[in-house]
Every structure is written in structure tokens, then in C-alpha cells.
């Protein structure tokens, strides 16, 4: 049972790192960003390149992969998302989905569609409550919690964070103070994308790297955002770990149903808490 | 705008689809027609009600599996199977409706997507014993009188009649007070509520009808091919109907028909020439969203309005 819990928290940690960008992008720009999955997948593929082609160790490779994704994310923001500000949500969904399609096809073109397996970068187990766990998974949990701490401080203490929070609350009021809100939202978008890439990098050694890895995770990530409340840091944090546990506990009893259970939970949440967006 | 499909409309639609015949086999042309029915059902909630669904394949799949399972276990009569499929898909829509239609925009798209994923899981894994899982299953239908749906020409005629029936129904529905209310909901739901209408019931009804029509399309596909696979309920194929609706022009019957035919033609011929089909679809969608929002039919009608206005000024 403890194993299940730890695995659930690992998935929750990855989900949090991935979903936070999605949630903030939605809260700030009112845009549902399917291209987030592309950033995630690209991060994982860049990790493969950094490890295999450049021959780097895992830590430098992870850093390189995460940073290398940022220009791509900036391009998506500049040429697709920025042009859709204030437009109908439907067009944003369709356009970012189109970006996802293009990107995934590009990845298939360059890397092929075969899944690439990666090994556990640490490969050591630690004993906890008399059961041994891969150290890597425990580190992911720690990392997710510390990222949450840093983001929390960022939004509470720094001026950039405060502007973003205020912008989430009332964009026009902040703009009337002479602050270019969209620039700050662009920063948030980049931070979110960087984290998504990091999520892909961290998850890659646990599963395998393949072009469609983003599609599956994105759906769950959307569920996290809906359950946790769009644009809410705390809600996303709690929802990620709760749904991570849902996945691992369901998976323990009936493997194939694990992801479906997430949507069931989401539906139940929506029945009691319909959201108006 | 009159509330009925005029005789000229019927002739035009039937004529246009008959024109496909020299280029395609009967079975493929039937496919075009069925896809157009599917696009029409999608357009009711996207074009008219203004809700983008990313999970409409669920209802196509419900109809397809409904028809197959009915033919297998209850009666091989094709008409009863199709009828059952429509009822089954509409029932799924009616069941999910209360949860789904309360949301708008992004949440609506994503919840549909999530339910579609659940449906896909149900047929692929949970009920694989009954649905054949990944392999799918075949459906055998009996003859009824002189109607034998094994005969592809018969099937073509039957589907064309079904399409005309759907067009007629859609025209009646969308020009009725109910349809006008749907369009009002698209424009500004708060105001409609303010006028004293219970918008929830209208949206629920529209969603259920749309689900039923999508199930109709699914059942007809099974009648056409005699085989059902999980690809009928595949989440990743939702983009097809969205693309078709956009390229034709949302919110009009002719737009949906144009979109359906154009999309089918593109997806038929293009993959044989360019291998990067998904990329093409992506760039196509971007182009539609940024430059060409009204679609082919929208552009044509804009041209028509422009010309008639200029003539009016000249005269």
C-alpha cells in the first residue's frame, strides 16, 4: 500500500509540474493551450538528444533540454497565442491543437515513431518504512513540493508575481495603472512552458519517450486544472496529488482503468461544482 | 428565410452528391454522405449553439456499437438496428447532457473529450468481451423486402435519402423558435436567461438531438461497411469533424455539407501524395483560424451578398 502511495505522489508531482503552466495560462490569458503537450514531449526528446547525442550526464542534460525548449515556447506564444488574445476560446483551442498536430508530426519525422526507453538516471533504491523505493521517484516528489514553494513565494513576495496575481484578478485595472500586463503574462507563459518541459524530462525515465506521450498526459493535466480550479496555484497543487493517488490506487486494482478513473472524478467534481468559463 | 427545405435545395444537394459518383466507388460516395450527416450533427451544437465539443466521436461510436450489438444480439433487421442506434446515442447524450451543457467554452470542450476517452476505454478494454476490443466485430444485417444493404447502390440511395431527411430535419429545427433560441444562446446566454427562458433545458435538448443524429451517422457507417472498430470512437479523430465544420463554414447546412465533402476529398487523396498528413491538417487548421474563419460556404455567401448589394446600388 505504501508503494502505491509513493507511486501516486510521484505521478502527482509530475502532474503538478506539468499542470501549473496550463492552469496559469488559462487563468491569465483565458486560453486553453493544447500546445503545452508539445512542449512537454519536446522536453523529453531534447533530453534524449542531450543524453545520447551530446553524451551529457543526466543533470546537465535535463537542464539543457529544459532551456532548449524555451525558444520554441516563446515562438508559439509570439506567433499563435498572442494573436488570439481576447478572441473566442474555440479558436484558441483549435489553433493550439493545430500546433500540437504539427509539432508531433515534426517529431515523428525527425525521431521516428518508435518509443525510446530511458533508464533510471540514479538507479539506487532507498529503504523507507522497511520497503525500498527508487530514489529517483522520491526526488521527484521533493522537487515538485519545492517548486510549489518557490512559485508560492514568487507570487506572494516578488513584484512580478504580484502583478501577475493582480492581473489574474482584474486585468483592466492593472493595465490602467500603466503596467503592460501582457508582457508579464508572457513571462508566466514561459515559466509554465519551462516547467512543462521539465515535467517531460523528469517523466521520460519512468516511462518511454514517444511522440504521443503528450496527448495522454495532457488530458489528465486538463482534469487536474478543472478539478483544482483554473488559475489557482494551491488548487492545482492539491488536485495534482489527489489525482495522482487516484491513478495509482485504481491502477493497483485494475491497471487499464487508471486514467479513466481520473475523468470519472472530474465529472463528479463538475456535477457539484460547475465552473463558468 | 423559410423554415423548409425548398425543392430546389433538395435537387441541389442530391445533384451534388450524384456528381461524386463518376469519381468514386459507391461505397466511398456513401462514406462522404455519412460523414456529412455527422458534420451536420456536430454543427447543431457548434455552429448553432456555439459550443465547441472535442468529443463528438463518442456519439458516432455509441451509434456504431449500438447498431452492431443490436444486430448481433436482438435482430438483424437493419432498420431496427439503426433506430436502436439513434435511441442509444441520444440516451448517452441525454445522460451526459446535464453535466456537460452546464459548462461553456473550454470546459465544455474538455469534458466532452474526457467522456469520449471514457467511452473509448469502455469499448476497448472494459467491455472487450462484448465489443471485440481492438479487433472490433462484424455486423450482419438481413434483407428487408427488396432492400438489400449488401448492394452498394441500394446503400448509396438509402444514405442519400437519409442525408436529405437529416437536412430537412435540421432546417426545420434551426429555423424553428427552438433553433432561434439556440442561436440566441450562442450570442448571449445571460440575456436569454433574463428573458425568462430556462436555457439549460434547451441546451440539453439540442445536445441530445445532436447525439442522436451523430449516432445515426455511426449506424449508417456500420450498415455500409458491416464492421465496427474502436476507431469509430477514437478521441484523436475529433479534429476531423472540427476541421470539416470550419472549412465548410459553421452554422449553415450548406456549409456543413461543403465541409464534409471537402474534408473527405482531402483526406482521401492527400495522404497518397504527401506523407505528412497530420502536419498538413495542422497548418490547414491554423490557416482557417487566422485567415479564413467563415469557411468556404461563408466566403461564397459573403461574395453573393456583396454582389447583390452592388447590383442594388447600381439599380
Amino acid at each position: 500500500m505504501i508503494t502505491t502511495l509513493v507511486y501516486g505522489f510521484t505521478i502527482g508531482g509530475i502532474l503538478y509540474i506539468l499542470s501549473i503552466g496550463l492552469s496559469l495560462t488559462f487563468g491569465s490569458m483565458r486560453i486553453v493551450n493544447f500546445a503545452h503537450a508539445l512542449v512537454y514531449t519536446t522536453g523529453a526528446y531534447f533530453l534524449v538528444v542531450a543524453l545520447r547525442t551530446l553524451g551529457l550526464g543526466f543533470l546537465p542534460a535535463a537542464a539543457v533540454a529544459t532551456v532548449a525548449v524555451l525558444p520554441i515556447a516563446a515562438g508559439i506564444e509570439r506567433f499563435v497565442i498572442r494573436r488570439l488574445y481576447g478572441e473566442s476560446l474555440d479558436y484558441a483551442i483549435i489553433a493550439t491543437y493545430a500546433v500540437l498536430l504539427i509539432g508531433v508530426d515534426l517529431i515523428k519525422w525527425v525521431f521516428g515513431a518508435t518509443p525510446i526507453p530511458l533508464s533510471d538516471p540514479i538507479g539506487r533504491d532507498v529503504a523507507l518504512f522497511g520497503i525500498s523505493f527508487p530514489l529517483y521517484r522520491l526526488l521527484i516528489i521533493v522537487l515538485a513540493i519545492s517548486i510549489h514553494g518557490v512559485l508560492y513565494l514568487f507570487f506572494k513576495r516578488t513584484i512580478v508575481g504580484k502583478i501577475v496575481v493582480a492581473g489574474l484578478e482584474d486585468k483592466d485595472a492593472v493595465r490602467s495603472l500603466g503596467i503592460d500586463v501582457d508582457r508579464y503574462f508572457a513571462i508566466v507563459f514561459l515559466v509554465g512552458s519551462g516547467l512543462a518541459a521539465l515535467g517531460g524530462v523528469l517523466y521520460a525515465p519512468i516511462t518511454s519517450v514517444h511522440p504521443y506521450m503528450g496527448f495522454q498526459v495532457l488530458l489528465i493535466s486538463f482534469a487536474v486544472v478543472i478539478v483544482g480550479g483554473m488559475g489557482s496555484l494551491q488548487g492545482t497543487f492539491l488536485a495534482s496529488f489527489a489525482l495522482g493517488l487516484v491513478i495509482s490506487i485504481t491502477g493497483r486494482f485494475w491497471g487499464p482503468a487508471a486514467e479513466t478513473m481520473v475523468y470519472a472524478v472530474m465529472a463528479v467534481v463538475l456535477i457539484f461544482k460547475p465552473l463558468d468559463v | 428565410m423559410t423554415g423548409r427545405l425548398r425543392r430546389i435545395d433538395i435537387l441541389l444537394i442530391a445533384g451534388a452528391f450524384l456528381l461524386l459518383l463518376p469519381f468514386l466507388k459507391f461505397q466511398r460516395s456513401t462514406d462522404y454522405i455519412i460523414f456529412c450527416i455527422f458534420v451536420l450533427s456536430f454543427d447543431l451544437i457548434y455552429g448553432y449553439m456555439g459550443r465547441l465539443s472535442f468529443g463528438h466521436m463518442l456519439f458516432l461510436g455509441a451509434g456504431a456499437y449500438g447498431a452492431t450489438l443490436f444486430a448481433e444480439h436482438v435482430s438483424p433487421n437493419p432498420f431496427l438496428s439503426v433506430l436502436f442506434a439513434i435511441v442509444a446515442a441520444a440516451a448517452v447524450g441525454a445522460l451526459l447532457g446535464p453535466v456537460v451543457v452546464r459548462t461553456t467554452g473550454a470546459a465544455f470542450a474538455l469534458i466532452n473529450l474526457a467522456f469520449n476517452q471514457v467511452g473509448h476505454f469502455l469499448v476497448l478494454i472494459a467491455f472487450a468481451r462484448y465489443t471485440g476490443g481492438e479487433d472490433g466485430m462484424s455486423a450482419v444485417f438481413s434483407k428487408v423486402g427488396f432492400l438489400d444493404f449488401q448492394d452498394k447502390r441500394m446503400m448509396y440511395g438509402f444514405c442519400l435519402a437519409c442525408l436529405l431527411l437529416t437536412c430537412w430535419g435540421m432546417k426545420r429545427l434551426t429555423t424553428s423558435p427552438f433553433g432561434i433560441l439556440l442561436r440566441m444562446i450562442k450570442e448571449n446566454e445571460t440575456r436569454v436567461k433574463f428573458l425568462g427562458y430556462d436555457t439549460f433545458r434547451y441546451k440539453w435538448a439540442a445536445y441530445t438531438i445532436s447525439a442522436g443524429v451523430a449516432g445515426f451517422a455511426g449506424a449508417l457507417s456500420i450498415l455500409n461497411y458491416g464492421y465496427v472498430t474502436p476507431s469509430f470512437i477514437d478521441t484523436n479523430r475529433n479534429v476531423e469533424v472540427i476541421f470539416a465544420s470550419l472549412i465548410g463554414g459553421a452554422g449553415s447546412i450548406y456549409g456543413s455539407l461543403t465541409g464534409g465533402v471537402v474534408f473527405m476529398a482531402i483526406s482521401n487523396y492527400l495522404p497518397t501524395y504527401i506523407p505528412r498528413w497530420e502536419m498538413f491538417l495542422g497548418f490547414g487548421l491554423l490557416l482557417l483560424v487566422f485567415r479564413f474563419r467563415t469557411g468556404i460556404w461563408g466566403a461564397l455567401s459573403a461574395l453573393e451578398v456583396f454582389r447583390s448589394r452592388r447590383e442594388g446600388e447600381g439599380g
Side-chain angles (χ1 to χ4, degrees):
Chain A
M1 195 63 210
I2 293 173
T3 325
T4 315
L5 285 183
V6 170
Y7 277 41
F9 280 126
T10 316
I11 298 170
I14 302 272
L15 277 181
Y16 174 70
I17 295 174
L18 177 64
S19 310
I20 193 66
L22 213 56
S23 178
L24 289 175
T25 314
F26 188 83
S28 59
M29 304 173 181
R30 302 267 129 199
I31 276 179
V32 173
N33 183 14
F34 270 89
H36 211 64
L38 176 65
V39 173
Y40 170 85
T41 315
T42 316
Y45 269 94
F46 281 177
L47 175 73
V48 172
V49 172
L51 284 173
R52 300 255 164 102
T53 317
L54 303 178
L56 298 171
F58 185 78
L59 275 184
V64 166
T66 308
V67 173
V69 170
L70 290 180
I72 296 175
I76 294 173
E77 198 270 336
R78 174 70 190 77
F79 291 108
V80 179
I81 290 178
R82 196 175 296 177
R83 294 172 65 171
L84 292 167
Y85 278 157
E87 299 247 16
S88 149
L89 266 169
D90 304 342
Y91 291 123
I93 294 177
I94 297 166
T96 53
Y97 190 83
V99 172
L100 176 63
L101 277 180
I102 296 169
V104 166
D105 211 26
L106 210 59
I107 286 174
K108 273 200 291 190
W109 199 359
V110 177
F111 296 99
T114 14
I116 305 169
L118 287 177
S119 56
D120 188 325
I122 299 178
R124 209 164 348 126
D125 289 0
V126 285
L128 202 69
F129 310 114
I131 308 166
S132 70
F133 298 104
L135 181 60
Y136 182 68
R137 281 179 182 260
L138 293 177
L139 282 180
I140 286 179
I141 301 172
V142 174
L143 190 65
I145 294 174
S146 19
I147 286 176
H148 178 62
V150 170
L151 283 178
Y152 186 75
L153 287 180
F154 173 74
F155 285 115
K156 269 267 152 43
R157 296 263 180 270
T158 66
I159 188 72
V160 178
K162 280 179 179 172
I163 289 174
V164 171
V165 173
L168 287 171
E169 204 65 45
D170 188 341
K171 195 173 164 184
D172 293 328
V174 179
R175 192 180 281 143
S176 68
L177 296 173
I179 296 167
D180 185 0
V181 192
D182 288 342
R183 226 187 69 216
Y184 289 94
F185 283 168
I187 296 174
V188 170
F189 181 85
L190 274 188
V191 171
S193 299
L195 286 174
L198 183 65
V201 164
L202 291 175
Y203 202 44
I206 296 179
T207 55
S208 59
V209 178
H210 60 98
Y212 289 99
M213 65 190 283
F215 277 97
Q216 303 162 346
V217 181
L218 185 76
L219 279 181
I220 300 175
S221 189
F222 276 136
V224 167
V225 174
I226 287 178
V227 171
M230 300 189 172
S232 154
L233 197 66
Q234 212 69 29
T236 309
F237 184 71
L238 294 176
S240 305
F241 284 103
L243 290 182
L245 284 179
V246 167
I247 291 176
S248 72
I249 292 173
T250 317
R252 192 180 138 97
F253 295 108
W254 191 20
E259 288 176 12
T260 308
M261 200 62 194
V262 172
Y263 308 127
V265 171
M266 180 179 90
V268 171
V269 168
L270 275 168
I271 291 171
F272 292 107
K273 189 200 85 176
L275 77 173
D276 247 348
V277 274
Chain B
M1 197 188 297
T2 52
R4 286 216 204 102
L5 212 57
R6 286 163 297 165
R7 198 167 297 152
I8 179 91
D9 289 319
I10 294 176
L11 285 176
L12 266 175
I13 296 170
F17 280 97
L18 285 172
L19 274 180
L20 287 175
L21 284 178
F23 303 102
L24 298 159
K25 286 192 187 133
F26 272 104
Q27 201 171 19
R28 283 310 283 167
S29 328
T30 312
D31 241 13
Y32 278 53
I33 294 172
I34 294 168
F35 187 69
C36 284
I37 296 179
F38 185 47
V39 179
L40 279 169
S41 81
F42 177 79
D43 199 41
L44 182 66
I45 51 171
Y46 177 57
Y48 289 96
M49 201 168 79
R51 299 284 187 277
L52 174 69
S53 164
F54 243 83
H56 215 55
M57 291 295 288
L58 174 64
F59 303 117
L60 188 82
Y65 276 99
T68 314
L69 290 173
F70 188 87
E72 169 99 9
H73 296 295
V74 186
S75 146
N77 183 315
F79 293 109
L80 288 179
S81 298
V82 170
L83 204 64
F84 176 77
I86 297 172
V87 172
V92 174
L95 197 71
L96 300 182
V99 182
V100 172
V101 300
R102 285 196 297 180
T103 60
T104 55
F108 186 84
L110 298 177
I111 286 157
N112 275 295
L113 186 59
F115 279 129
N116 193 343
Q117 193 72 28
V118 173
H120 188 234
F121 163 78
L122 288 180
V123 300
L124 187 65
I125 291 161
F127 294 118
R129 258 175 57 207
Y130 308 103
T131 61
E134 199 156 356
D135 302 329
M137 62 193 291
S138 57
V140 185
F141 296 100
S142 62
K143 279 191 219 175
V144 179
F146 68 97
L147 276 169
D148 175 13
F149 292 116
Q150 299 294 328
D151 181 352
K152 293 305 160 203
R153 274 166 304 178
M154 202 83 92
M155 185 65 207
Y156 176 84
F158 178 65
C159 284
L160 191 57
C162 287
L163 177 73
L164 291 173
L165 183 74
T166 313
C167 286
W168 176 80
M170 280 291 166
K171 186 82 182 171
R172 282 305 291 265
L173 194 69
T174 53
T175 48
S176 68
F178 173 76
I180 293 165
L181 249 162
L182 287 187
R183 269 182 276 178
M184 282 159 68
I185 289 173
K186 177 185 181 178
E187 294 303 327
N188 190 335
E189 193 179 339
T190 321
R191 274 191 206 167
V192 181
K193 275 186 190 157
F194 211 71
L195 289 173
Y197 291 103
D198 183 3
T199 53
F200 171 78
R201 272 167 42 200
Y202 290 95
K203 288 188 290 180
W204 189 9
Y207 191 72
T208 308
I209 294 170
S210 171
V213 177
F216 186 33
L220 289 177
S221 307
I222 301 308
L223 222 52
N224 192 21
Y225 279 104
Y227 207 82
V228 67
T229 63
S231 80
F232 275 101
I233 198 167
D234 190 347
T235 330
N236 290 328
R237 284 184 59 201
N238 280 304
V239 62
E240 294 176 1
V241 67
I242 297 172
F243 187 93
S245 192
L246 274 176
I247 200 171
S252 99
I253 287 173
Y254 276 112
S256 301
L257 296 178
T258 318
V261 171
V262 169
F263 176 80
M264 284 300 277
I266 293 175
S267 67
N268 255 351
Y269 292 109
L270 220 74
T272 45
Y273 297 113
I274 27 177
R276 307 246 72 88
W277 157 243
E278 280 179 326
M279 198 178 289
F280 172 84
L281 206 61
F283 280 116
L285 278 173
L286 280 184
L287 194 71
L288 284 171
V289 166
F290 284 120
R291 290 264 170 267
F292 202 52
R293 284 198 184 160
T294 51
I296 295 173
W297 190 256
L300 284 180
S301 7
L303 207 69
E304 189 59 38
V305 168
F306 177 71
R307 213 171 54 196
S308 62
R309 191 179 298 156
R310 219 171 46 179
E311 274 169 14
E313 278 167 9

